[in-house]
Amino acid sequence: KNQVEQSPQSLIILEGKNCTLQCNYTVSPFSNLRWYKQDTGRGPVSLTIMTFSENTKSNGRYTATLDADTKQSSLHITASQLSDSASYICVVSARNTGGFKTIFGAGTRLFVKA
Amino acid sequence: GAGVSQTPSNKVTEKGKYVELRCDPISGHTALYWYRQSLGQGPEFLIYFQGTGAADDSGLPNDRFFAVRPEGSVSTLKIQRTERGDSAVYLCASSLWGQNLMSTDTQYFGPGTRLTVL
């Protein structure tokens, strides 16, 4: 069964600290993996996208890694800011006979405190 | 104002009623997606349009749900005989090419419509 599991469910950190969010998936055959940031009451916004051949991708203070062998990804946030408080969603796409299937994780809720 | 817009932002209805949710994608985007998001969960795929046609409607939960995109731009998600379990945020996204044509195509999401069925 295609699944995307994220951990932790929620996380509280102090402003200025770093953190790492985890994503494990069992989606097959793998096509790509994306990380989204979703502010409360808003739609998700794409942060990074990685295909099979990529193992790291950065977007400002956000760095995503991908290990396609172990089917794990992480999102590292450096020097956190209050505005980083949001849900971070891992999304994996799999190729199927009709096109692609996209499976969303439940997200990690990050709270950055002053 | 070039983003994806959705109307209404909030909709409260009674069980058994019919509702329509509207999505205006980014101009020129050929692909449009509908998702449903329950509290504390990630979005759940409903349907994907490539142009005017539904390229994948496998996520629609039952035949009470239907979506159209008659001119390849605006889309309407229609829910008949609403049930309390339909309460959720309904998200719409659009992308330039569509995932079937370009798997890495970036989807741009609207703010969602919060549907509450009493």
Side-chain angles (χ1 to χ4, degrees), chain A:
Chain A
K1 181 181 177 184
N2 289 327
Q3 285 188 315
V4 176
E5 302 286 341
Q6 292 188 242
S7 62
Q9 276 191 319
S10 63
L11 181 63
I12 302 172
I13 62 173
L14 291 176
E15 186 180 13
K17 298 296 185 183
N18 303 337
C19 67
T20 300
L21 315 180
Q22 300 291 343
C23 174
N24 295 342
Y25 61 92
T26 58
V27 175
S28 180
F30 176 83
S31 175
N32 59 74
L33 184 147
R34 307 166 193 259
W35 283 92
Y36 283 90
K37 178 186 179 187
Q38 185 174 24
D39 292 309
T40 301
R42 309 290 292 271
V45 174
S46 180
L47 294 176
T48 63
I49 179 168
M50 289 180 291
T51 58
F52 184 88
S53 59
E54 298 173 292
N55 55 25
T56 187
K57 184 73 70 79
S58 290
N59 178 0
R61 294 179 297 102
Y62 301 104
T63 299
T65 65
L66 172 66
D67 186 333
D69 291 331
T70 62
K71 299 187 177 182
Q72 296 179 326
S73 176
S74 66
L75 180 69
H76 186 75
I77 304 175
T78 303
S80 60
Q81 301 176 357
L82 297 178
S83 59
D84 292 332
S85 296
S87 288
Y88 291 84
I89 302 174
C90 175
V91 185
V92 184
S93 290
R95 181 184 291 275
N96 65 14
T97 53
F100 290 88
K101 285 295 183 187
T102 300
I103 299 96
F104 286 73
T108 291
R109 190 75 188 271
L110 175 66
F111 299 90
V112 180
K113 298 177 66 173

Side-chain angles (χ1 to χ4, degrees), chain A residues 31-32 34 36 38 41-46 49 51 89 93 95 98-102 104-107, chain B residues 35 37 40-45 55-56 58 91 99-100 102-112:
Chain A
S31 175
N32 59 74
R34 307 166 193 259
Y36 283 90
Q38 185 174 24
R42 309 290 292 271
V45 174
S46 180
I49 179 168
T51 58
I89 302 174
S93 290
R95 181 184 291 275
F100 290 88
K101 285 295 183 187
T102 300
F104 286 73
Chain B
Y35 299 89
Q37 187 173 26
Q41 299 296 315
E44 171 194 12
F45 170 77
D56 184 351
S58 62
L91 292 167
Q99 63 185 19
N100 283 3
M102 179 175 155
S103 63
T104 56
D105 204 21
T106 297
Q107 295 182 26
Y108 297 87
F109 283 80

Side-chain angles (χ1 to χ4, degrees), chain B residues 8 18-19 26 32 35-36 39 42 44 47 53 69 71-72 95 110:
Chain B
Y18 168 81
V19 296
I26 293 172
L32 186 145
Y35 299 89
R36 178 169 69 174
L39 191 63
E44 171 194 12
I47 187 169
R69 195 186 185 202
E71 297 178 358
S95 69

